[in-house]
Amino acid sequence: MKNRLLPLTTIVVMFAVAAHAQQIGNPTTQQGITGTRGVYVIRNARIVTVSGPEIENGTVVIREGKIEAVGANVTVPAGAQQIDASGMSVYPGMIDVATAMGLVEVPQGAAGTVDTAEVGDTNPNAQAIVAVNPHSAHIGVTRVDGITAVVTMPQGGLISGQAALINLNGTTPREMAVVPSVALVINFPRVARGFGDREFSVETQGNQNITEAMNQVNQQIEQLRKLLRDAEAYGRAQDAYARDPKLPRPDTNIELASLVPFVRGERPVVLRANRETEIRGAIRFADEMKLKAIILGGEDSPKVASLLKEKNVPVILTGTLSLPLREDDYYDALYEAASRLQAAGVRFCISTGNSGAGVRNLPLYAGMSAAFGLSKEEALKAVTLYPAQIMNVADRMGSIEPGKIANLVVTDGDLLEVRTHVRYLFIDGVRLPLTSRHTELYDAFKDRK
Amino acid sequence: MKRLTILVLAVIGLCVLGFERTRAQKAPAPPETLIRNGTVLTITHGVLANTDVLIRRGKIAAIGKNLKAAADARVIDATGKYVMPGIIDCHSHSMLDAINEGTVSVSSMARTRDVLNPNDADLYRELAGGVTTLNLLHGSANSIGGQTTTVKIKYGRPVEDFIFPGAPPGIKFALGENPKRSSSTPQAGQQRRYPATRMGVEETIRDAFVRARDYKKSWDEYRAAVAKGDKNAIPPRRDLQLEPLVEILEGKRYVHSHCYRADEILMLINIADEFGFKVRTFQHVLEGYKVAKEIAQHGAGASTFADFWGYKIEAYDAIAYNTAIMVRHGVVTSVNSDSNERARRLNIEAAKAMRYGDLTEEEALKLITMNPAWQLGVQDRVGSIEVGKDADLAIWTAHPLSVYARVETTFVDGEVFFDRQQDIARRTELEKERATLEQAEPNRPANRGPAPGAPRGRRPSDLDDDMWEGRP
């Protein structure tokens, strides 16, 4: 908390005192205080590049939103704002690729703030980027703990919609967007009822017996198959018409049109599946439909490791801090899931799977995996480089390399440790104040006598 | 015939009991355990490097360097490891499959003690996180809820063994959204339960204490009459709802009150002052940071979430700095789980107060040891590593406030109830057993009758009281 911009803090505190009471949103960003872009130099720091070796005493140069240079012997550009980071470490910002950030403010008792699940089973053209609230309090609270980008995704029905990859700063959704449509989200049908899916409570079945439930799952898979085949056919028809306008003009169908890039394997499809049978089913289905699949959830994924590796399907592991699925599962089944995937050569990353308020705990999800078998280096990659690779943005983020987006976190210790503090924060080359709705309430009340 | 049956049953019963006894005797706890050369986090007397802890008959017998143990003592080398007291979770619903007697708003007659399930598998997982003591609370649907139970996690033992001997009795209160039932929809034809506002919650509690005060007066008058030798004095009719409230007025039963907003915290302090009792802990108390001064003045403790926020309107002003602000204002503060999941990693939850608000290591550790011990009135028995205290402790692979730390062994009353190496060693055997059971498919319907239900995502007891309040 030491290195906050002082005048800014004063403004922010004044505002917080005036407006703290039960206000929905983040006063800082509502005021348009989103930091400043410029040329920055972070000096004398330990630089954890993630993609390459650590630099014990190095420099990072930031210009126009990008990392311009990094190394032990870098020329400092004239006129740059300098940050002496002696005794500190620079990390790439963490990335959580399974959240509902900005789509929900208060999940219970304030339905008006919930925009996560559309009506109906299939909503492929529901786009998260349209409904992201850039002024959500969750955004500030999350980024000051070093998470600089997230994938925010719709949650409902069978086909939930399209997820967006966003930086956690900006006044409009478009300013935040890194990839406005980064993946299609499908809740792969499952045989289970009730509160099965943690934060994303997908209750597709009522109180059924096992036969009925299995029949329903088969029907739902058939429904998906039919819709995706229709989209394939639609794409072919549109292409044919584009080549030969003498053909009968196919009617425009925005639902099918939105599916075309996904059924052609041009963009990934995230399939939510946790139990072994669901994961196997999802992989088989993706294989049959030639989808570029990513498994989301993946609690039983270590049991399916060889198939995942064979089909080169990556896993977004969200349950490392969940209770094991079954009463007789080993107590550490999910603590060690990441390490088992890594040992088996499966591509994976670690996510909170949390809708928003808990996303700031991402480093702890990775750290716990490191307490149970994963190396610390792999744990760090699992929340930086690996999520970037899985979402096809590793050319733009996930490590400290010249040319990448300047999403950087300067800390006073190990990024994954609980007691570590973030000292400086850059998102898209913008230096952000380390304030959030929570620090503002803290400042307003900490010295009340 | 009937007699014969009873006789047979009795004989079977005795055999089973006998068997249980033999089994228990087969693996008797070693008379002494010596944990050697660990870093001992005593909590009350600092951090002791390269120190031994000697356990004898369930108690901590000695702490020091190069301690000698009996020849048959179990010796554990804790070189490079950390020894800390068993973690105390001041807000748990483990062992309880039902937590809310939600039909009335004063359910002080309901007792968690009557419905404890010692086979809750999550208890073992909590032991694996170094937790040894739980405050088992009634739910938060009632302004005055049911009676709490303090237990030690003696997983694998009959339920009687779990009860923490001599722990003061407690009771759950609840303020705000949950007792006013704002997130539960009455079914068709069902009337909304009183109260429906924070005004009504206050009135409900006040009304109950007015009745309890009168009830206590009736008994006091009766006892005085009997003491004077009045043979015709008629005892008042016993009231199971008011009895626990009289115990509160007499300072014999601790109030643990669920609350969120600053205004409702002050409301309960005012009632308590008016009726002359103390609130032992405010639970959740997410806006405690706004009125930390008043909580400290009242002398109440606070048991809060580390950083859980925003899941409902009354949790929207919750901040992770809550713990630190309350500690700095002199409130005896603990960090709790209210969840079988979070209960497994309260060490990390406590460490969050170092990130948010810069508590020291010792202050952070107290949040899950000495402070909750005081809140439950068992501070003379547990919560620190001191000679004479119960040997409830855990051995960690790294400093327990590190995210990279893992529990190796957990002791309750000097006995091992979790050991990671033993757990791993048993897995091959368990895999075989699982395969045999799956082969047998004991649940397959025999050609008739309905198919079994689709599996539940999770056992209902996993539901956090607060997240799912009012849901089916």
Side-chain angles (χ1 to χ4, degrees):
Chain A
M1 304 297 107
K2 271 179 202 154
N3 295 290
R4 251 182 250 153
L5 301 173
L6 273 179
L8 208 53
T9 314
T10 320
I11 297 165
V12 154
V13 169
M14 280 165 59
F15 185 79
V17 173
H20 73 267
Q22 299 285 329
Q23 185 185 320
I24 306 288
N26 198 23
T28 310
T29 47
Q30 279 171 357
Q31 285 292 287
I33 305 168
T34 52
T36 45
R37 221 172 188 181
V39 184
Y40 293 95
V41 176
I42 305 168
R43 298 181 67 186
N44 306 322
R46 168 177 165 256
I47 300 167
V48 185
T49 63
V50 174
S51 52
E54 273 182 34
I55 300 160
E56 209 37 63
N57 190 353
T59 304
V60 184
V61 181
I62 300 164
R63 188 196 296 271
E64 288 307 310
K66 296 279 192 309
I67 298 166
E68 186 178 77
V70 55
N73 303 300
V74 170
T75 319
V76 175
Q81 300 182 60
Q82 300 201 21
I83 291 169
D84 179 9
S86 303
M88 299 184 203
S89 304
V90 189
Y91 290 90
M94 290 177 276
I95 307 166
D96 189 337
V97 293
T99 77
M101 188 67 69
L103 297 179
V104 53
E105 194 68 24
V106 182
Q108 194 182 312
T113 69
V114 182
D115 293 287
T116 47
E118 250 315 328
V119 174
D121 285 344
T122 53
N123 289 289
N125 46 355
Q127 297 201 45
I129 195 64
V130 172
V132 165
N133 173 13
H135 312 292
S136 163
H138 297 264
I139 289 169
V141 167
T142 306
R143 72 181 176 212
V144 296
D145 277 341
I147 295 101
T148 54
V150 301
V151 169
T152 182
M153 49 178 63
Q155 308 172 357
L158 269 179
I159 299 185
S160 312
Q162 294 175 40
L165 177 64
I166 55 173
N167 276 330
L168 291 184
N169 186 41
T171 304
T172 68
R174 291 287 156 184
E175 279 177 23
M176 302 175 83
V178 179
V179 186
S181 168
V182 76
L184 182 73
V185 182
I186 293 180
N187 288 315
F188 196 73
R190 65 197 187 108
V191 180
R193 64 194 165 90
F195 310 90
D197 231 331
R198 315 279 146 73
E199 280 286 313
F200 298 99
S201 186
V202 185
E203 294 181 57
T204 46
Q205 281 100 21
N207 284 331
Q208 298 169 312
N209 71 41
I210 191 104
T211 316
E212 288 166 5
M214 285 169 73
N215 285 340
Q216 187 178 339
V217 161
N218 289 335
Q219 281 165 17
Q220 287 172 333
I221 293 174
E222 192 48 40
Q223 187 185 350
L224 279 177
R225 183 181 283 123
K226 185 175 175 307
L227 187 60
L228 298 188
R229 290 229 163 105
D230 284 354
E232 254 179 338
Y234 176 83
R236 278 198 303 273
Q238 290 289 3
D239 284 356
Y241 178 68
R243 282 193 302 270
D244 181 1
K246 288 189 299 261
L247 289 172
R249 179 172 52 81
D251 286 343
T252 308
N253 180 322
I254 57 167
E255 190 183 12
L256 295 178
S258 70
L259 282 168
V260 170
F262 301 103
V263 295
R264 288 180 173 170
E266 292 162 11
R267 274 190 250 162
V269 178
V270 168
L271 297 143
R272 187 192 306 282
N274 272 312
R275 287 173 182 265
E276 183 179 349
T277 45
E278 296 156 17
I279 298 171
R280 287 189 190 282
I283 298 171
R284 267 200 308 273
F285 181 77
D287 211 29
E288 176 197 335
M289 306 306 294
K290 299 191 174 57
L291 305 175
K292 193 172 172 187
I294 299 168
I295 296 295
L296 169 60
E299 296 193 5
D300 275 347
S301 57
K303 296 180 185 174
V304 196
S306 59
L307 184 63
L308 287 160
K309 181 160 192 269
E310 182 198 324
K311 301 289 183 189
N312 192 25
V313 174
V315 177
I316 302 167
L317 195 62
T318 58
T320 61
L321 290 185
S322 295
L323 280 167
L325 274 167
R326 304 163 195 81
E327 273 189 293
D328 60 337
D329 280 343
Y330 301 131
Y331 84 94
D332 58 359
L334 291 168
Y335 295 154
E336 66 162 26
S339 124
R340 289 178 63 193
L341 289 179
Q342 200 267 334
V346 176
R347 293 168 63 207
F348 75 99
C349 68
I350 291 173
S351 156
T352 61
N354 187 277
S355 57
V359 175
R360 63 173 163 194
N361 283 323
L362 180 63
L364 311 182
Y365 283 67
M368 186 64 104
S369 299
F372 287 83
L374 200 64
S375 72
K376 290 182 184 178
E377 293 72 27
E378 281 290 311
L380 180 61
K381 283 182 180 172
V383 290
T384 52
L385 190 56
Y386 292 166
Q389 287 171 347
I390 289 171
M391 286 298 159
N392 304 312
V393 290
D395 57 333
R396 277 170 278 177
M397 53 171 70
S399 64
I400 304 183
E401 290 176 85
K404 286 198 173 182
I405 297 170
N407 285 358
L408 297 168
V409 183
V410 184
T411 67
D412 62 3
D414 183 332
L415 185 66
L416 304 186
E417 268 293 9
V418 206
R419 64 175 72 183
T420 296
H421 298 88
V422 171
R423 295 303 188 193
Y424 298 95
L425 174 69
F426 290 87
I427 297 180
D428 203 15
V430 174
R431 179 176 168 187
L432 288 162
L434 292 170
T435 54
S436 70
R437 183 182 161 80
H438 291 188
T439 63
E440 286 153 14
L441 285 165
Y442 177 53
D443 289 339
F445 287 96
K446 70 178 191 304
D447 297 321
R448 177 176 173 265
K449 296 273 188 286
Chain B
M1 191 61 201
K2 214 176 195 175
R3 255 187 212 172
L4 188 68
T5 318
I6 290 167
L7 191 69
V8 169
L9 283 176
V11 169
I12 291 171
L14 281 173
C15 289
V16 171
L17 269 180
F19 176 65
E20 285 293 323
R21 286 272 151 74
T22 358
R23 215 169 47 164
Q25 280 161 4
K26 251 186 196 166
E32 287 189 358
T33 301
L34 181 62
I35 303 168
R36 292 188 59 175
N37 200 35
T39 301
V40 181
L41 307 171
T42 66
I43 308 300
T44 42
H45 296 87
V47 179
L48 309 174
N50 307 104
T51 297
D52 304 344
V53 177
L54 181 67
I55 300 170
R56 188 184 296 140
R57 284 189 290 278
K59 300 279 182 192
I60 296 164
I63 304 162
K65 308 231 183 227
N66 305 313
L67 295 179
K68 297 274 172 290
D72 62 343
R74 171 187 170 147
V75 179
I76 297 171
D77 181 15
T79 305
K81 299 198 172 80
Y82 287 76
V83 186
M84 97 170 252
I87 291 171
I88 300 167
D89 187 354
C90 200
H91 194 127
S92 170
H93 302 290
S94 297
M95 301 181 80
L96 298 166
D97 281 341
I99 55 168
N100 273 317
E101 178 49 64
T103 52
V104 286
S105 203
V106 180
S107 64
S108 41
M109 67 298 266
R111 308 190 305 177
T112 51
R113 169 68 185 87
D114 296 331
V115 292
L116 298 183
N117 168 20
N119 300 320
D120 184 345
D122 290 333
L123 292 169
Y124 182 74
R125 294 164 176 162
E126 288 162 11
L127 284 166
V131 182
T132 54
T133 296
L134 304 174
N135 182 24
L136 302 178
L137 294 155
H138 186 270
S140 50
N142 323 69
S143 309
I144 296 180
Q147 301 171 27
T148 63
T149 312
T150 307
V151 296
K152 288 198 181 200
I153 309 183
K154 297 208 172 179
Y155 187 64
R157 296 293 173 76
V159 70
E160 292 74 22
D161 291 10
F162 282 69
I163 310 300
F164 198 123
I171 190 165
K172 175 82 169 274
F173 280 27
L175 317 175
E177 288 184 19
N178 291 4
K180 75 196 189 88
R181 314 303 292 143
S182 51
S183 48
S184 89
T185 320
Q187 285 162 7
Q190 206 179 27
Q191 252 195 340
R192 185 150 189 201
R193 197 196 74 184
Y194 182 88
T197 66
R198 284 180 173 81
M199 298 180 285
V201 171
E202 194 264 8
E203 196 274 344
T204 301
I205 297 172
R206 174 184 304 283
D207 174 73
F209 276 104
V210 166
R211 287 186 289 126
R213 199 161 54 184
D214 284 356
Y215 178 65
K216 176 173 152 43
K217 210 172 280 172
S218 313
W219 274 100
D220 288 347
E221 285 163 4
Y222 166 71
R223 289 193 186 108
V226 171
K228 271 192 212 148
D230 180 353
K231 296 223 164 66
N232 296 321
I234 299 166
R237 181 178 168 176
R238 211 177 151 194
D239 188 322
L240 297 183
Q241 185 192 48
L242 297 180
E243 259 180 24
L245 304 190
V246 171
E247 289 168 4
I248 294 169
L249 292 172
E250 292 171 342
K252 294 173 185 163
R253 182 175 289 278
Y254 288 172
V255 173
H256 300 289
S257 182
H258 161 120
C259 57
Y260 282 80
R261 263 172 34 185
D263 53 292
E264 63 203 26
I265 295 166
L266 297 176
M267 176 274 276
L268 188 61
I269 289 176
N270 288 338
I271 288 194
D273 287 347
E274 181 185 333
F275 286 89
F277 67 89
K278 291 281 179 216
V279 177
R280 189 66 170 189
T281 70
F282 285 101
Q283 296 280 328
H284 308 325
V285 59
L286 297 189
E287 287 187 20
Y289 68 95
K290 294 182 181 175
V291 288
K293 179 180 71 174
E294 286 81 358
I295 297 173
Q297 273 165 3
H298 179 73
S303 187
T304 188
F305 294 131
D307 65 346
F308 203 35
W309 74 285
Y311 44 94
K312 52 179 174 175
I313 291 286
E314 63 182 359
Y316 196 63
D317 266 13
I319 59 174
Y321 301 91
N322 190 34
T323 311
I325 293 181
M326 291 194 294
V327 168
R328 293 281 174 256
H329 278 78
V331 178
V332 178
T333 305
S334 66
V335 167
N336 68 47
S337 79
D338 189 16
S339 143
N340 293 358
E341 188 280 292
R342 280 190 297 276
R344 306 169 307 157
R345 48 182 176 89
L346 280 169
N347 58 313
I348 294 176
E349 297 300 284
K352 286 175 181 173
M354 299 176 70
R355 167 175 290 198
Y356 307 107
D358 300 311
L359 290 195
T360 64
E361 280 184 2
E362 188 175 302
E363 286 171 326
L365 286 170
K366 277 187 177 167
L367 299 172
I368 49 174
T369 54
M370 262 327 268
N371 293 358
W374 176 84
Q375 293 175 345
L376 296 174
V378 292
Q379 69 275 19
D380 297 334
R381 295 285 302 274
V382 293
S384 61
I385 300 182
E386 288 177 81
V387 172
K389 278 201 163 181
D390 296 358
D392 293 6
L393 33 90
I395 302 174
W396 295 75
T397 56
H399 194 292
L401 294 171
S402 165
V403 74
Y404 302 119
R406 195 180 63 216
V407 171
E408 279 296 307
T409 311
T410 306
F411 299 85
V412 183
D413 288 335
E415 285 181 62
V416 172
F417 279 86
F418 169 78
D419 185 273
R420 178 163 166 85
Q421 299 315 318
Q422 281 175 23
D423 183 287
I424 290 168
R426 282 187 61 209
R427 291 183 186 188
T428 322
E429 183 195 330
L430 285 169
E431 290 299 344
K432 268 189 215 156
E433 188 181 336
R434 188 197 307 263
T436 316
L437 289 171
E438 280 174 2
Q439 202 73 34
E441 277 197 76
N443 295 323
R444 181 175 18 206
N447 294 328
R448 59 197 166 83
R456 275 196 87 94
R458 166 113 21 218
R459 292 177 64 245
S461 70
D462 176 42
L463 308 183
D464 303 345
D465 181 29
D466 269 10
M467 283 299 278
W468 303 105
E469 184 54 48
R471 301 216 179 167

